[in-house]
């Protein structure tokens, strides 16, 4: 089913629309495509369009809130195993083609306030950040039921791109004024963009990417979130809300439970992908937090490796629970991992639809719901 903005906002606001939402957030890992072809999967199955997934019509507002560096990426080395580049931030970055889909920076150029000041202009506001010519098109789409999205730089993730994880965690203590200046600059730019763009096209869903946690927990605690990130989030969220935004979604892998309440103080009302392997149990979280935030994901992707009985147990636990009735976008908790057979995936899709009362597959279509 293709959802429109009104249906989607209502569902995320815990209004029961008469139907649960069953999606695929990310799709398969690259290596899984080869496995599925060997198992006889069709190209439409590999591209995810064969499964008639739910998704919402949506469009991103035509603006750039992040770094504009002017640096053209260069490929230094390209082999069957890896690609070495100079990326858009001037860093040497390595992509391991056999194990990853995202390049890993090998170096970071910011360590001190002086270093930051040299690149601060990457983040300052300029009218060229807004594509005014495209705004009429986005307004027409919203008027026709499309959800409008706008992302802004992660309060943890973007400074990490400049300093690296270790450098950033040290800087919270040794260079707090630098981190505050980074986030104030980014917030100022995002707010100015919102004030201009949203006078023409209102925003529905503010989005942010952090990825600040692993299985053992987040890389920063609630004290750092409240001191540095909450003021940043609130400045941007308050501006978005003033133009009618209802949804504020955060993408962060791993176990973020220790900082969920702090991020809610910044306005976040959606967390995803809710990885069970990291201890993020969506059923228990709903019991604890009620309707304070909606959830995307939460279904254990690794159950699909184990076979039909494991799939049945996982779906019975998640789909027949307090997660129903609005406020949950049921989906796997990240990319479909290697080792999941196409037979198991088909079984998961069909059983999930049946348990949620969704009709059998009748059409084709898929859009990533990771936003």
């Amino acid at each position: 089913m293709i959802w429109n903005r009104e249906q989607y906002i209502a569902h995320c606001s815990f209004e029961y629309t008469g139907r649960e939402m069953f999606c695929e957030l990310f799709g398969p890992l690259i290596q899984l495509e080869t496995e599925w072809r060997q198992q006889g999967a069709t190209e439409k199955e590999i591209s995810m369009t064969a499964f008639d997934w739910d998704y919402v019509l949506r469009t991103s507002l035509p603006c750039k809130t992040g770094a504009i560096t002017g640096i053209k990426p260069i490929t230094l080395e390209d082999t069957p195993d890896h690609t070495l580049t100079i990326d858009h931030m001037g860093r040497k970055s390595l992509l391991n083609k056999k194990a990853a889909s995202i390049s890993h920076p090998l170096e970071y150029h910011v360590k001190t306030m002086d270093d930051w000041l040299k690149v601060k202009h990457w983040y300052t506001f300029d009218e060229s950040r807004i594509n005014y010519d495209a705004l009429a098109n986005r307004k027409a789409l919203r008027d026709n039921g499309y959800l409008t999205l706008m992302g802004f730089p992660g309060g943890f993730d973007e400074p990490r791109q400049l300093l690296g994880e270790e450098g950033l965690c040290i800087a919270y203590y040794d260079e707090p004024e630098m981190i505050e200046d980074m986030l104030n600059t980014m917030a100022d730019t995002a707010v100015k963009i919102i004030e201009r763009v949203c006078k023409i096209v209102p925003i529905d869903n503010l989005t942010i990417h952090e990825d600040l946690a692993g299985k053992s927990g987040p890389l920063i605690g609630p004290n750092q979130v409240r001191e540095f990130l909450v003021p940043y989030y609130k400045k941007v969220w308050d501006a978005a809300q003033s133009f009618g935004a209802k949804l504020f979604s955060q993408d962060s892998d791993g176990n973020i439970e220790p900082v969920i309440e702090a991020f809610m103080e910044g306005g976040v009302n959606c967390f995803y992908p809710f990885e069970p392997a990291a201890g993020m149990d969506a059923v228990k979280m709903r019991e604890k937090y009620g309707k304070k935030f909606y959830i995307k994901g939460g279904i254990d992707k690794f159950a699909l490796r184990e076979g039909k009985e494991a799939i049945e147990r996982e779906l019975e636990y998640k789909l027949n629970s307090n997660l129903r009735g609005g406020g949950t976008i049921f989906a796997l908790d990240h990319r479909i991992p290697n080792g999941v057979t196409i037979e198991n995936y088909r079984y998961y899709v069909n059983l999930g639809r049946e348990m949620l009362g969704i009709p059998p597959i009748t059409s084709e279509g898929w859009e990533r719901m990771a936003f």
Side-chain angles (χ1 to χ4, degrees), residues 80-334:
D81 295 330
H82 70 266
T83 301
L84 181 66
T85 63
I86 300 293
D87 68 14
H88 73 292
M89 300 183 89
R91 308 169 301 189
K92 277 189 179 180
S93 293
L94 181 69
L95 172 63
N96 183 336
K97 294 180 180 179
K98 294 187 176 180
S101 58
I102 300 174
S103 296
H104 178 70
L106 302 178
E107 58 190 3
Y108 299 94
H109 300 315
V110 175
K111 294 181 176 61
T112 66
M113 177 66 88
D114 286 342
D115 297 331
W116 156 243
L117 294 176
K118 292 175 184 176
V119 299
K120 182 175 179 177
H121 64 279
W122 290 355
Y123 297 94
T124 55
F125 176 75
D126 185 273
E127 294 288 347
S128 65
R129 286 179 172 270
I130 302 170
N131 183 349
Y132 287 97
D133 293 337
L135 286 174
N137 167 264
R138 301 301 194 276
K139 184 178 186 305
L141 289 174
R142 188 176 188 272
D143 291 344
N144 281 283
Y146 280 65
L147 187 80
T148 51
L149 309 174
M150 194 190 89
F152 69 110
F156 179 88
D157 183 54
E158 195 64 27
R160 169 174 55 190
Q161 301 304 320
L162 297 168
L163 291 96
E165 287 179 351
E166 181 179 351
L168 173 57
C169 291
I170 292 172
Y172 285 125
Y173 297 94
D174 291 352
E175 295 276 1
E177 296 85 0
M178 177 179 68
I179 305 304
E180 289 175 355
D181 193 53
M182 286 180 177
L183 297 179
N184 285 336
T185 301
M186 295 173 198
D188 178 71
T189 294
V191 168
K192 287 178 178 176
I193 289 173
I194 288 170
E195 290 172 345
R196 288 157 173 79
V197 169
C198 292
K199 287 179 180 177
I200 302 170
V201 190
I203 179 175
D204 295 318
N205 194 157
L206 189 67
T207 70
I208 194 163
H209 174 271
E210 294 291 9
D211 273 3
L212 50 73
K215 287 185 177 181
S216 60
L219 292 168
I220 55 172
N223 290 343
Q224 287 78 29
V225 172
R226 289 188 170 100
E227 181 178 355
F228 296 98
L229 274 66
V230 167
Y232 171 60
Y233 276 49
K234 280 186 63 63
K235 288 176 186 176
V236 183
W237 178 233
D238 288 349
Q241 277 190 302
S242 72
F243 289 96
K246 297 289 193 300
L247 311 178
F248 184 3
S249 53
Q250 184 199 85
D251 175 2
S252 189
D253 300 342
N255 183 356
I256 61 167
E257 185 174 7
V259 292
I260 275 184
E261 291 188 13
F263 277 119
M264 284 193 290
E265 293 171 16
V268 178
N269 58 20
C270 170
F271 296 95
Y272 74 96
F274 255 77
E275 294 183 287
M280 297 294 289
D281 187 315
V283 175
K284 292 180 180 178
M285 290 287 190
R286 179 60 50 79
E287 182 179 344
K288 179 177 180 179
Y289 292 104
K291 297 182 179 181
K292 291 182 178 179
F293 55 83
Y294 67 99
I295 293 169
K296 292 200 294 186
I299 299 174
D300 189 354
K301 57 186 174 290
F302 295 119
L304 275 64
R305 276 181 175 170
E306 297 176 30
K308 293 181 179 179
E309 290 185 3
I311 294 170
E312 291 166 6
R313 286 195 303 270
E314 176 66 9
L315 293 186
E316 180 65 30
Y317 177 56
K318 296 288 170 59
L319 272 52
N320 293 325
S321 70
N322 56 6
L323 296 172
R324 295 184 69 144
T328 306
I329 297 164
F330 291 104
L332 294 182
D333 60 298
H334 216 286

Side-chain angles (χ1 to χ4, degrees), residues 23 38 40 55 57 135 287 295 325:
C23 302
Q38 292 171 347
Y55 61 93
L57 296 169
L135 286 174
E287 182 179 344
I295 293 169

